[in-house]
Amino acid sequence: MTVGMSIDPKLLLSNFPVVIGTLGLLILGKTILVVVMGKLFGISVISAIRAGLLLAPGGEFAFVAFGEAVNQGIMSPQLSSLLFLVVGISMAITPWLAAGGQLIASRFELHDVRSLLPVESETDDLQDHIIICGLDELGSESEVGILMILVQNFNTVTQ
């Protein structure tokens, strides 16, 4: 029997608060875990939130693990059915979690980008210059005598 056939939609209706609570706990718990781990490894909060929301749904291995737990007598079939439902719903809402992560990121990145914009007085003396992004060996020397702002990996290399 396939996993989809083992999910009982009536279970959602009869245990709606439990299913939604467990689903929220799964999504929120895994997102928080990924954000904390992301910060420990130096990832920005925005990127960590996006990654957390993408990794938050349950995976296919949960179906195997829950099935084996029932076979070994560790978990009741009723609990397994409930968890199958939660994992299945979490997998089904992955596109919305991804869109939510993108929305959160775009809101914060808009704010972050504004804070990075230079004050107008900082750029008054910049005239007759060029900006080169993706600097490599071929673009590393200026023979024209023009002020160049060379950017590699989004960091100013030289002015």
Side-chain angles (χ1 to χ4, degrees):
M1 177 168 38
T2 66
V3 171
M5 296 299 290
S6 64
I7 294 176
D8 183 9
K10 292 178 188 174
L11 195 60
L12 174 62
L13 298 175
S14 64
N15 293 304
F16 188 76
V18 174
V19 171
I20 296 303
T22 307
L23 179 63
L25 189 61
L26 173 68
I27 301 293
L28 188 63
K30 284 182 72 176
T31 300
I32 289 171
L33 180 66
V34 171
V35 169
V36 168
M37 294 304 295
K39 287 305 295 172
L40 289 175
F41 285 96
I43 298 173
S44 73
V45 175
I46 303 301
S47 296
I49 290 171
R50 290 183 68 195
L53 287 171
L54 285 171
L55 295 172
E60 292 87 356
F61 184 71
F63 300 129
V64 175
F66 298 152
E68 187 59 26
V70 169
N71 290 340
Q72 296 297 321
I74 299 170
M75 183 183 295
S76 71
Q78 294 81 12
L79 179 59
S80 176
S81 295
L82 184 73
L83 294 176
F84 273 11
L85 181 61
V86 169
V87 170
I89 292 172
S90 75
M91 293 170 70
I93 65 170
T94 301
W96 289 281
L97 292 172
Q102 181 62 36
L103 181 65
I104 290 169
S106 67
R107 303 264 185 206
F108 281 103
E109 286 172 354
L110 181 61
H111 175 71
D112 289 346
V113 169
R114 285 189 199 135
S115 68
L116 296 175
L117 292 176
V119 178
E120 194 168 324
S121 62
E122 293 176 341
T123 59
D124 285 343
D125 60 335
L126 292 179
Q127 296 176 6
D128 301 323
H129 67 280
I130 59 173
I131 298 175
I132 300 175
C133 294
L135 172 70
D136 62 7
E137 293 80 25
L138 297 176
S140 62
E141 296 183 25
S142 171
E143 297 179 15
V144 197
I146 298 175
L147 170 65
M148 295 192 315
I149 300 173
L150 307 175
V151 180
Q152 179 144 350
N153 296 331
F154 302 104
N155 295 318
T156 302
V157 175
T158 184
Q159 284 189 350

